[in-house]
Amino acid sequence: EPVILDLEDNVVDETLAKKRTVAVDKVRGFMKYKRQTDKYRNPARRVKDWKEINARLNHEDLKVQAARCMDCGVPFCQSDTGCPIGNIIPKWNDLVFKEQWKDALDRLLMTNNFPEFTGRVCPAPCEGACVLGINELPVSIKSIECAIIDKAFEEGWMIPNPPRVRTGKRVAVIGSGPCGLAAADQLNKAGHYVTVYDRNDRFGGLLMYGIPNMKLDKGIVQRRIDLMAAEGINFVPNAHVGKTIDAKILKEHNDAILLATGATWPRDLRIPNRNLDGIHFAMEFLQKNTKSLLDSELADGTYLSAKGRSVIVIGGGDTGNDCIATSLRHGAKSIVNFELLPQPPNSRAPDNPWPQFPRVFKVDYGHAEVVTVHGNDPREYQILSKEFVSDGNGRVKGINTIRVEWTKNEKGGWAMKELPGTEKYFEADLVLLAMGFLGPETEVIKQLDVRQTPQSNIETPKGMYSTSVAGVFAAGDCRRGQSLIVWGINEGRQSAREVDLFLMGGTRLPVTGGIEKRPVEQLENTGLAWMRDDKGMP
């Protein structure tokens, strides 16, 4: 039986109606509204689990944040100092403000294959280059980007879309990090048969095993891998090309090979007693932890546990911070983080002007967690490790250090000198080396006889991705050196375009910014033909 409503129940309260229709001011939004970003969960609670640390903004708050975007005439957020992939940020900010989420998604996917990754773990150089950031806090670009793609998956908009036509060409992509995945996605869109090889049991490279679960949930990574597989990309796990698979045989069975192996050779600390037990590279520590977490919720005990240990992390940056947060969740007794350089300033220094990425002091999630649990910031600046100290049984028990001073020489370069009298011993029975990477591992490079640069990166012509071996291409950190995820995605997209051009003699894959680049002659023969006298006017 239908429900009968009283007429008075359908009368809209005027005050409530007026409140609902109060417009968010887009014209003056940058002046009227304060910056708001995705908040971190309470540190006292989040250290007890491995769930993502962020709590997301609701749609009403996101609309207000989108209103802060000024739609600049020259949007530096998508310039060379901003977003490397040329995300058309003002456009999808405006579409979110207008609540046109599906259109915002379409515009975002024109330039970014994986916004669910960049929206979580990219350091957001776009925000550092935001014009509003000259004299105010920048627009919350990263939060808006993440919200767009999260809503897309929630609404069921992200469905498999395999290419309608296949070219018959086969491409092997070695490595499944951000670069390899982006390249595979683009090459598959072009209609090629793409196979991705990875030496690990799961795909995603550093997205899967280099970044802890509380920073990037692995279900989100696997969701994207599953979507790509449903679109026709073949994934081969436990395939260490150069060791378990011969790269030369792979080359014989494919029309092109793309090397996207990353820069995984870690920088070591060659000081006395380096051979002691208890000293590990950061990536070994992080990968084993994530694998054990995914395999058994850490029940199998195959990870390097920091429980009850005095941990020293040598090296700052994101990797060092991830080691701090992981050690804290294990139940470390104490955590100290060594940084060789001075503490950054609280605001931009004169040699770090806008729109450069701001090199300023920040308290990241791991640092804040240590402050909450242990009561102190774990970082020690301008400190140099001199010697690992043995406990007499082959295991490390501490580090002897000395403070250093940085001064500029007459040529303007920085020089470091030790400060006598500042020697100090730090207790440590677990030391994690997070000092960056030197370049790619060389097994597959040597098998294919690919030329390398003096810095050990794979050599390619400037602005190109072809190597010294015909049909073999390289992109990402193995080509340009250690860099950001967003640079990896850009390299993957642009290398795919060059591979497609090599295979087909032409390409419709876009350049940076989602733009299809075509020769002028082609435009004259097609799109501009109507302008010619012999064609007549429409």
Side-chain angles (χ1 to χ4, degrees):
E1 184 178 343
V3 177
I4 300 175
L5 297 177
D6 192 290
L7 182 62
E8 293 181 357
D9 293 335
N10 289 328
V11 176
V12 179
D13 181 87
E14 291 185 11
T15 304
L16 182 59
K18 185 177 181 180
K19 185 177 180 180
R20 287 176 177 172
T21 57
V22 170
V24 177
D25 190 346
K26 182 70 167 71
V27 176
R28 300 175 182 83
F30 67 97
M31 295 189 294
K32 295 177 66 173
Y33 309 124
K34 297 296 182 182
R35 172 181 164 94
Q36 188 178 1
T37 60
D38 294 334
K39 301 297 183 184
Y40 285 153
R41 294 162 50 213
N42 186 306
R45 295 179 182 176
R46 70 181 189 241
V47 296
K48 298 177 182 178
D49 61 50
W50 299 91
K51 299 176 183 176
E52 278 198 354
I53 57 178
N54 290 93
R56 304 296 172 186
L57 295 176
N58 60 43
H59 287 183
E60 290 74 20
D61 290 335
L62 287 163
K63 181 172 183 175
V64 172
Q65 293 308 303
R68 298 184 73 238
C69 178
M70 300 185 291
D71 196 11
C72 306
V74 181
F76 280 80
C77 58
Q78 59 190 66
S79 69
D80 291 341
T81 53
C83 181
I85 54 179
N87 275 335
I88 311 168
I89 295 165
K91 185 61 178 178
W92 43 256
N93 277 345
D94 185 56
L95 291 168
V96 167
F97 171 77
K98 294 176 180 176
E99 300 183 17
Q100 298 175 7
W101 288 88
K102 184 64 167 61
D103 293 333
L105 173 70
D106 293 340
R107 187 54 60 106
L108 177 57
L109 293 180
M110 283 176 58
T111 55
N112 189 352
N113 300 70
F114 313 122
E116 69 269 37
F117 304 153
T118 55
R120 285 172 166 81
V121 298
C122 180
C126 53
E127 293 187 5
C130 174
V131 175
L132 184 56
I134 296 175
N135 57 356
E136 294 283 347
L137 293 176
V139 176
S140 304
I141 300 169
K142 184 175 175 180
S143 297
I144 297 171
E145 176 185 32
C146 192
I148 294 171
I149 190 65
D150 283 357
K151 182 174 177 62
F153 277 104
E154 290 169 6
E155 296 290 338
W157 297 336
M158 298 298 294
I159 59 175
N161 185 26
R164 295 180 180 180
V165 178
R166 289 291 181 181
T167 65
K169 302 292 185 180
R170 298 187 179 275
V171 182
V173 178
I174 303 175
S176 68
C179 175
L181 291 179
D185 196 32
Q186 293 296 97
L187 288 166
N188 187 59
K189 284 179 170 63
H192 306 306
Y193 291 106
V194 182
T195 303
V196 178
Y197 297 85
D198 197 287
R199 62 184 178 182
N200 293 314
D201 60 335
R202 293 180 175 89
F203 298 95
L206 66 87
L207 298 168
M208 180 62 74
Y209 282 136
I211 299 172
N213 197 75
M214 59 275 192
K215 198 170 175 182
L216 175 60
D217 189 286
K218 303 313 160 193
I220 292 172
V221 180
Q222 190 59 49
R223 179 179 66 184
R224 176 59 73 168
I225 300 295
D226 293 343
L227 180 62
M228 295 174 67
E231 292 180 331
I233 298 174
N234 185 33
F235 289 92
V236 181
N238 302 308
H240 196 161
V241 179
K243 283 190 175 181
T244 61
I245 294 180
D246 193 312
K248 291 182 178 179
I249 295 178
L250 206 62
K251 187 174 183 298
E252 292 175 1
H253 289 82
N254 288 275
D255 298 290
I257 288 182
L258 176 64
L259 303 178
T261 56
T264 55
W265 194 264
R267 180 176 282 107
D268 207 345
L269 183 59
R270 295 296 181 183
I271 59 176
N273 296 323
R274 169 62 181 87
N275 61 332
L276 293 173
D277 291 338
I279 304 171
H280 302 272
F281 289 115
M283 278 300 146
E284 176 192 4
F285 176 71
L286 294 174
Q287 177 163 345
K288 287 184 175 181
N289 181 81
T290 298
K291 179 168 171 50
S292 178
L293 180 68
L294 296 177
D295 287 347
S296 67
E297 293 287 332
L298 302 182
D300 59 15
T302 58
Y303 63 101
L304 298 170
S305 177
K307 185 176 182 179
R309 296 196 178 279
S310 299
V311 179
I312 290 182
V313 179
I314 301 179
D318 290 336
T319 301
N321 181 57
D322 292 339
C323 288
I324 291 170
T326 301
S327 298
L328 194 63
R329 281 163 176 76
H330 286 174
K333 181 174 71 174
S334 65
I335 301 174
V336 179
N337 183 203
F338 287 175
E339 297 204 28
L340 185 62
L341 297 174
Q343 178 176 320
N346 292 324
S347 58
R348 290 181 182 270
D351 62 348
N352 178 218
W354 175 90
Q356 294 179 2
F357 186 79
R359 300 188 297 272
V360 296
F361 180 75
K362 299 176 183 176
V363 178
D364 213 328
Y365 79 103
H367 310 134
E369 291 171 356
V370 175
V371 171
T372 299
V373 176
H374 291 167
N376 64 285
D377 192 305
R379 289 170 286 188
E380 295 279 347
Y381 290 96
Q382 293 178 253
I383 190 166
L384 178 67
S385 302
K386 296 291 290 182
E387 177 188 25
F388 295 115
V389 180
S390 173
D391 66 353
N393 296 308
R395 185 172 183 88
V396 66
K397 74 169 186 178
I399 305 176
N400 287 325
T401 70
I402 190 170
R403 299 286 173 173
V404 298
E405 181 181 53
W406 292 89
T407 56
K408 278 192 174 182
N409 55 34
E410 60 278 2
K411 296 182 179 180
W414 288 100
M416 182 189 76
K417 72 172 183 177
E418 299 178 8
L419 299 177
T422 62
E423 296 84 356
K424 185 176 180 180
Y425 170 79
F426 286 83
E427 178 185 352
D429 51 3
L430 178 61
V431 178
L432 302 174
L433 306 179
M435 302 182 298
F437 301 89
L438 297 175
E441 297 178 42
T442 60
E443 294 90 353
V444 64
I445 295 174
K446 289 181 178 178
Q447 275 195 0
L448 293 173
D449 198 25
V450 172
R451 190 177 300 132
Q452 293 176 269
T453 68
Q455 294 77 29
S456 81
N457 297 326
I458 297 176
E459 183 178 277
T460 64
K462 185 176 180 180
M464 299 180 69
Y465 302 89
S466 55
T467 70
S468 57
V469 178
V472 178
F473 299 80
D477 289 2
C478 67
R479 186 192 81 93
R480 61 174 284 124
Q482 182 185 355
S483 190
L484 306 177
I485 285 177
V486 71
W487 271 111
I489 293 174
N490 180 64
E491 292 256 320
R493 289 173 63 89
Q494 299 314 308
S495 62
R497 187 177 185 277
E498 189 168 322
V499 171
D500 188 36
L501 186 63
F502 167 78
L503 294 175
M504 307 302 294
T507 182
R508 298 293 299 270
L509 293 177
V511 296
T512 302
I515 301 168
E516 183 184 335
K517 183 179 180 181
R518 288 179 288 174
V520 174
E521 294 79 6
Q522 183 180 352
L523 293 174
E524 289 178 346
N525 293 331
T526 55
L528 298 182
W530 63 272
M531 296 181 63
R532 297 176 180 171
D533 293 338
D534 60 330
K535 297 290 183 180
M537 297 299 289

